[in-house]
């Protein structure tokens, strides 16, 4: 009798262990399938730039599609980001130089307080529109993980170049000419 009780106990333990393993495996498989079915398509060179709608710091509604027919630099940044600070004056100078030729800058700050962003704009003398992506929708749409991140969009609305990290003047000029 004692032996039979131990046997049943081991049998139950194996059944419980196998059930737990099966549930965990099903959970992992289910999660993986869910992620793959709901994963946003990664923006790639040659793709039409995904449209988005954000509010500028001035409270105006901005839509990327409103810039159709223009060469656009979409730049994701943050005030705390040192490479962003170094490249921002270059972007401003490029904007001043090429704006009359149809070059636009779409500057998207990442979830910071408005007064901090306004201070940054003043400090760097930025004259192009600045928006905030408070809920990271655009950030996620463009699969931005590191800052700064820049997307160069030609007049046909296609992404021609994607650059992660600080841009240098020589490259920035070259890449703007690619989209003009």
């Amino acid at each position: 009798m004692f032996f039979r009780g131990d046997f049943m106990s081991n049998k139950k333990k194996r059944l419980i262990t196998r059930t737990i393993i099966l549930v965990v495996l099903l959970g992992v498989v289910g999660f993986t399938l869910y992620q793959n079915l709901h994963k946003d398509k990664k923006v790639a060179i040659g793709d039409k730039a995904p449209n988005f709608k954000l509010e500028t710091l001035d409270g105006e509604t901005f839509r990327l599609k409103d810039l159709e027919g223009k060469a656009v630099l979409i730049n994701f940044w943050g005030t705390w980001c040192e490479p962003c600070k170094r490249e921002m004056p270059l972007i401003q100078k490029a904007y001043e130089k090429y704006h009359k030729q149809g070059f636009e800058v779409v500057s998207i700050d990442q979830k910071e307080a408005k007064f901090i962003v306004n201070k940054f704009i003043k400090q760097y003398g930025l004259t192009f529109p600045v928006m905030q992506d408070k809920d990271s929708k655009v950030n996620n749409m463009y699969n931005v993980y590191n800052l700064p991140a820049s997307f160069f969009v030609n007049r046909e609305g296609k992404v021609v170049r994607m650059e992660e990290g600080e841009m240098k003047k020589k490259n920035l000029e070259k890449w703007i000419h690619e989209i003009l």
Side-chain angles (χ1 to χ4, degrees):
M1 200 65 135
F2 178 75
F3 177 76
R4 188 169 186 242
D6 284 343
F7 177 75
M8 292 299 277
S9 174
N10 286 338
K11 195 173 181 179
K12 282 183 179 179
K13 285 180 186 176
R14 281 194 307 258
L15 178 64
I16 290 171
T17 302
R18 289 177 182 159
T19 303
I20 290 171
I21 291 171
L22 181 63
V23 168
V24 168
L25 284 173
L26 287 172
V28 168
V29 169
F31 179 75
T32 303
L33 288 172
Y34 175 81
Q35 289 287 21
N36 286 330
L37 291 174
H38 291 90
K39 185 166 67 172
D40 291 333
K41 180 181 178 254
K42 184 174 171 121
V43 175
I45 292 176
D47 288 351
K48 182 136 177 96
N51 186 41
F52 56 86
K53 181 173 91 170
L54 288 173
E55 190 174 291
T56 66
L57 290 177
D58 300 331
E60 296 178 26
T61 299
F62 170 86
R63 290 175 189 80
L64 182 61
K65 70 179 181 177
D66 293 341
L67 297 180
E68 285 179 7
K70 298 196 177 203
V72 180
L73 164 59
I74 303 170
N75 181 255
F76 294 85
W77 60 280
T79 62
W80 48 266
C81 165
E82 290 302 320
C84 301
K85 292 177 186 178
R86 289 191 298 268
E87 78 176 9
M88 204 54 75
L90 299 175
I91 294 172
Q92 176 61 38
K93 285 179 184 168
Y95 178 73
E96 291 168 3
K97 183 175 180 178
Y98 296 106
H99 182 67
K100 289 181 181 172
Q101 296 176 40
F103 175 66
E104 295 289 342
V105 174
V106 175
S107 176
I108 304 173
D109 172 69
Q110 303 299 295
K111 300 193 230 181
E112 296 182 276
K114 193 174 181 176
F115 76 92
I116 292 173
V117 177
N118 279 325
K119 182 179 174 186
F120 185 89
I121 291 168
K122 258 186 200 170
Q123 180 182 352
Y124 288 92
L126 305 181
T127 59
F128 46 79
V130 175
M131 285 139 256
Q132 291 185 292
D133 189 14
K134 293 179 183 178
D135 56 8
S136 295
K137 281 184 183 177
V138 180
N139 187 67
N140 293 336
M141 186 184 297
Y142 278 79
N143 293 314
V144 173
Y145 299 104
N146 297 308
L147 298 179
S150 300
F151 295 80
F152 291 81
V153 180
N154 67 16
R155 293 177 186 272
E156 290 76 44
K158 304 248 183 206
V159 176
V160 173
R161 177 172 301 281
M162 300 179 299
E163 185 66 22
E164 189 175 273
E166 181 182 350
M167 294 184 287
K168 303 296 182 198
K169 182 179 179 179
K170 179 182 171 185
N171 290 335
L172 179 59
E173 294 269 334
K174 178 180 153 192
W175 298 336
I176 290 170
H177 284 283
E178 288 178 358
I179 61 174
L180 279 175

